[in-house]
Amino acid sequence: MAPHPRKWFHAPWEFREAALAATLTLALGFAVQYSLGGAGITMPAWPLNGIILALIALATLTLGLSFRNHPMVQWLGGIPLGLSLILSLAILSFIGGMVPQGAAGNPAAMQLGLYSIFSSWPFALTVAIFFVNLGLSLVWKTIPFSPKNLQFILFHAGFWIALACGIFGSSDLQRLVVPVYEGRSTSRGLVSGEGRDVVELPFSIKLHDFSIEEYPPQLMFYDPESDRFIMAGSQAVTEVHKGTRVSWKGTDVEVTEFMTSAMPGPSGNPVAAPPSAGIPYAKVRITGSGAQPDTWLSTGGPGMRPYVAGIDSQILIMVPGSPKSYRSAVTLQAEGGRSLEAELEVNKPVNFEGWKIYQMGYDEESGRFSTLSLLEAIRDPWLPGVYLGFFMILGGNALFFWNGIKRSGVQA
Amino acid sequence: MIIDFTAAAYLSIAFWASGSLLGLAARGSAVMKRAATGLNLGGSLVMIAFIAMYWSALERPPLRTLGETRLWYAALIPLVGLLVEQRWNISWLKYYCMALAAFFLSINLMHPEVFDKALMPALQSPWFIPHVVVYLVGYVLLAASSVAGWHNIFLTWRKKNTLQNDAIGHYLALLGFVFLTFGLVFGALWAKDAWGNYWSWDPKETWAFIAWLIYLGYLHASSWKVRRLNLQWYLALAFLVLLVSWFGVNYLPTAANSVHTYQQS
């Protein structure tokens, strides 16, 4: 705030004009969005997006260097406008954080783009001006170069690069869902989203084996009356292994035998079986108020009903553990002849021929016995640029941290 | 379990409580201050020793469940507070840090079953701990900057505020922002490996981004001609946004499809 009240639009422009400009940008964006019937904005694909980005960079550079001392250009690349646009972006993101994105709702809100705010016109226009503001400030701090501006340059250039590659590269991102069955091979991916278009990948994926590792099963009491699971004492869940004990209302349950993978044998007692076919079995000794002869429990599986034990009006059951990890053993075979054996797992994607292949899911109905593996193939040519931006931001922040400490001299 | 978590947790909390009381009573005595710091360190060392023993008993790093990750926060957050005190002479932050650590341990004491909650595969990642710890430290620092903001508003009202006090609030916000940025970027790098995309406007992501923008705004305001008191108000109120991104996201209409809500279906 200046000590003397300044009249509107008297040079040099400051916060008031910046706040007005940011507000008008939002208003214009929403007006365009509304008049186009809620149609958002789509980024053109390569090479057009690259050309547009290069032109914007060139224009920013020219404007910044040729009109360095022009008050209007200074305002355009200055902090007041930058701050106003940062808060504008926060407001738009706030809408995105409150309104379920991609859902359907009030028609007027739909038409304003509130349900797809991040591809809406107000968002695009705000980001565009923000981009110019950021670019100009960067040009001025970088040319002429001085080492003391390094943290500013790293942070702002990193942000500019990450933003540019993220936004302009979004149209070149390909995301395909690739379903593949054990023993089969495929090179077809389905485009994620609405259309379900099929895209031919430049390589084939053969699935040798899909396997799931589960956490141990859990003992629970089930109350048919209320259709609820009852937790024993404070232990909400009790992982089953040999020696597990649960107590509940005077009934004590102890697991005396535990088989991770077995099948019902001829005598009724389970016999060990390979993991691909077996299910967990536990023998329990029940003493106390609900005492009864030792009995087998099982989680049940395809074609095998679960073994349970009735205790008073409750039923003691064994619930299968949740998936701990699942993986697909695959061979990736490129058209050119290059091939790669890989284990795909959640959080461990594999790079092949410019694509990243992910373990995405499986047939959850069949659970452990699923022979279907859902993979995802993603191609994101602009990713190195985004990562470069990220690491520059982190570098700038590390310097920020360090210089801030050196400069501050705060004494508590 | 051979190793008794309850005993370890109470011992840690006792260390932190006695260290805090001694630190507050120390006034100018350097010997008492050192003893207090020793006790505070002791609390974290007990937790670290517990984690080490627990790790060897489990034969895997105790990073699988939310309850287990809280052990790490409880061990690390007070260390951050003590580090800040060592490096920048800000002595009151450590009390917040120890209170927060004690709070985390209390959650585990009250709900022992959290140790059994299995982590879904997407959360089993080397990024998990850095992402969460960096964020937590950032949140702690920004919470502290907000407290400093309120404190300074109050002092201004009593005509007792100094530039020094404003600098502490500013400083904590700056440090917090650095950690927030690291947390955001670590999260993006992790998301790329887990879900194939570094940014997908997940509600928690969106709110973290809003909080980041708000503090980015603060840093720009503070480097321009904005009145000191207005900056303190900014810091004091910015924390509300942080609270939403920290705890509030789960209660928003957008939360249903967030990867950050961890509700077992």
Side-chain angles (χ1 to χ4, degrees), chain B residues 165-180:
Chain B
N165 287 332
D166 281 5
I168 289 177
H170 173 76
Y171 211 58
L172 288 164
L174 189 151
L175 288 178
F177 175 80
V178 168
F179 278 93
L180 218 53

Side-chain angles (χ1 to χ4, degrees), chain A residues 179-231:
Chain A
V180 58
Y181 285 90
E182 278 183 350
R184 303 254 188 90
S185 183
T186 184
S187 58
R188 298 186 138 188
L190 304 164
V191 177
S192 307
E194 305 281 292
R196 287 287 168 202
D197 300 329
V198 176
V199 173
E200 201 65 33
L201 287 163
F203 53 88
S204 70
I205 304 175
K206 183 170 188 300
L207 177 62
H208 303 290
D209 180 46
F210 175 75
S211 56
I212 297 188
E213 202 182 327
E214 287 175 343
Y215 285 114
Q218 294 165 354
L219 283 181
M220 284 190 190
F221 287 98
Y222 171 70
D223 180 25
E225 279 284 304
S226 58
D227 188 28
R228 278 190 359 175
F229 293 115
I230 301 164
M231 305 303 179

Side-chain angles (χ1 to χ4, degrees), chain B residues 98-125:
Chain B
M98 288 185 284
L100 197 60
F103 170 72
F104 279 128
L105 291 182
S106 309
I107 295 179
N108 281 12
L109 285 169
M110 284 185 291
H111 297 279
E113 73 274 12
V114 292
F115 284 105
D116 284 339
K117 274 236 173 75
L119 276 190
M120 56 195 261
L123 294 182
Q124 301 166 27
S125 160

Side-chain angles (χ1 to χ4, degrees), chain A residues 170-184:
Chain A
S170 61
S171 49
D172 294 326
L173 175 84
Q174 280 183 285
R175 267 190 103 118
L176 306 173
V177 178
V178 185
V180 58
Y181 285 90
E182 278 183 350
R184 303 254 188 90

Side-chain angles (χ1 to χ4, degrees), chain A residues 23 39 51 60 78 91 166 198 244 263 284 314 318 325 354 380 383 408:
Chain A
T23 312
I51 294 167
T60 308
I91 291 166
V198 176
T244 300
M263 291 172 85
V284 289
Q314 267 70 37
M318 187 158 75
S325 63
D380 190 357
L383 186 69
S408 80

